[in-house]
Amino acid sequence: MDKSMYDIVIVGMGPAGYTASIYASRYKLKNQVIGKLMGGLIGESHKVCNYPTEDEISGLELMMKMQQHAKNLGASELYEGIVDIQRRTDGTFCLTTEQGNKTYGRSVLLATGLKHRTLNVPGEQELRGRGVAYCATCDGFFYRNKTVAVIGGGDSALSAAVYLSEIAKKVYLIYRGEKLRGEPAWIDLLSGSEKVEILCNTNVTAIHGTNRVERIDLDQPYNGASSLNIDGIFIEIGAEPDRTLISSLGLETDSKGYVVVGPDQSTSLDGVYAAGDITTASNYFKQVITASSEGAIAAQSIFSYLSRQTGVRTSVETAKTIKVRV
């Protein structure tokens, strides 16, 4: 048995990836979870309040629980980014990391999640990390008693504004639409905060600062001015699939770049499955619980896929007879 060959290589360390690992281990599939950072985007979330059994938990804590569960069942982990996946002539896969290391699998599960969208306005890239941020939980601490802006009108923006209102002196929530579109519970929390001011029908057109963010330009005047003095800006306008591995594998996608999957989470390439926020499944409902569900389905489907392969056995001693006492 080739010890370097995994039954399933899971690319992505978010809810879909770790749930798939948990199920894969219970199916006795040798599995490896690979990613640059544990947790995915949910790991950056200040609060998760809709995951069963957890009235309120930070995204990072929830992901640490999933990770530990997977590790307890025997999952292998590799903290490196994958830059290339090639299907070999024997039907197995070779995955290459940014460091040039290689790992091999009889099947691959893409659970890479999404990446932050950007505003694409002048000053954004120049001041990234110097007042321009995409994670309130990660960087909010640095803005204690300061003035910040949060851009967006969905749940990620609203939860970021709630979190920052507990730290900052003033929070401007700026949204291009007529009204916020997040969960009513988040909107209620913001409406009751004296620190938060909501600016709708407004876009940020530029970000200015010498060494750090100092002000932003608006396309609608605020108190008679076209700019707003702030110390930091948190861009929470959603996320989109990272197409790098999707494109290199030639997987079928929809018009927005999401991987088209079947009911079993299979993709257009035999042996490659996808789960979580990068897929067209779950009615595009991007939640921890739907990502976990897809990860579980993918693991079961891969178990069935490997069982069907002629001459291919999983990495457990499948030749042994399982005796059941009745």
Side-chain angles (χ1 to χ4, degrees):
M1 180 67 67
D2 184 355
K3 293 183 178 180
S4 66
M5 177 69 69
Y6 291 90
D7 294 317
I8 171 176
V9 177
I10 301 166
V11 185
M13 291 181 156
Y18 278 117
T19 303
S21 173
I22 290 167
Y23 275 75
S25 292
R26 290 183 62 82
Y27 282 118
K28 302 301 182 182
L29 299 177
K30 181 182 177 184
N31 65 92
Q32 183 178 49
V33 186
I34 300 178
K36 294 177 68 173
L37 184 67
M38 189 279 293
L41 290 186
I42 195 63
E44 302 175 357
S45 179
H46 169 46
K47 290 181 182 180
V48 177
C49 303
N50 56 1
Y51 192 79
T53 76
E54 304 292 347
D55 292 334
E56 181 178 304
I57 188 171
S58 73
L60 180 59
E61 185 180 358
L62 179 60
M63 287 312 309
M64 288 176 68
K65 285 186 173 184
M66 290 190 186
Q67 179 193 39
Q68 190 59 54
H69 191 172
K71 289 172 68 175
N72 288 345
L73 290 174
S76 170
E77 291 183 307
L78 178 62
Y79 284 87
E80 296 183 21
I82 296 295
V83 294
D84 185 57
I85 303 176
Q86 295 291 328
R87 187 173 188 179
R88 304 196 298 179
T89 55
D90 63 355
T92 62
F93 297 87
C94 174
L95 296 84
T96 305
T97 72
E98 290 176 334
Q99 288 76 11
N101 297 315
K102 296 183 184 299
T103 190
Y104 302 91
R106 293 190 171 88
S107 65
V108 171
L109 173 62
L110 292 183
T112 50
L114 305 176
K115 63 178 182 178
H116 292 291
R117 287 198 180 104
T118 61
L119 286 176
N120 292 319
V121 298
E124 180 178 4
Q125 292 303 316
E126 293 82 353
L127 292 168
R128 187 166 184 161
R130 293 184 292 156
V132 174
Y134 301 86
C135 173
T137 307
C138 307
D139 301 324
F141 173 81
F142 301 107
Y143 297 89
R144 185 170 299 278
N145 298 321
K146 294 185 178 182
T147 299
V148 299
V150 176
I151 314 303
D155 286 336
S156 59
L158 271 57
S159 62
V162 168
Y163 173 64
L164 290 167
S165 69
E166 300 170 0
I167 299 172
K169 176 178 64 178
K170 177 76 174 180
V171 178
Y172 293 100
L173 179 58
I174 303 173
Y175 180 48
R176 63 182 182 179
E178 292 185 3
K179 61 180 182 180
L180 302 176
R181 55 183 175 81
E183 289 185 8
W186 290 121
I187 296 174
D188 289 344
L189 283 172
L190 290 172
S191 299
S193 175
E194 296 180 354
K195 289 185 176 182
V196 179
E197 189 167 350
I198 301 171
L199 283 61
C200 289
N201 296 312
T202 304
N203 290 285
V204 173
T205 57
I207 304 171
H208 300 281
T210 304
N211 296 313
R212 292 193 59 82
V213 169
E214 297 171 3
R215 74 179 192 280
I216 53 177
D217 290 343
L218 308 174
D219 66 352
Q220 297 294 330
Y222 169 76
N223 287 344
S226 60
S227 64
L228 188 64
N229 294 329
I230 60 170
D231 300 298
I233 177 172
F234 292 83
I235 300 169
E236 298 280 359
I237 56 173
E240 60 189 4
D242 186 336
R243 295 175 174 82
T244 305
L245 296 178
I246 297 171
S247 299
S248 68
L249 286 167
L251 301 182
E252 180 185 356
T253 64
D254 68 1
S255 60
K256 295 182 179 179
Y258 292 93
V259 179
V260 175
V261 294
D264 61 351
Q265 303 301 138
S266 61
T267 70
S268 57
L269 180 60
D270 195 39
V272 176
Y273 293 73
D277 288 356
I278 63 167
T279 78
T280 56
S282 300
N283 201 32
Y284 293 93
F285 194 37
K286 308 304 180 187
Q287 298 287 301
V288 176
I289 195 166
T290 56
S292 295
S293 174
E294 291 182 31
I297 293 169
Q300 190 275 336
S301 300
I302 290 171
F303 173 75
S304 298
Y305 165 79
L306 293 176
S307 299
R308 293 193 303 267
Q309 302 308 298
T310 303
V312 173
R313 294 184 182 275
T314 56
S315 295
V316 295
E317 298 173 293
T318 53
K320 287 186 175 181
T321 302
I322 301 175
K323 296 181 180 179
V324 179
R325 179 174 294 177
V326 294

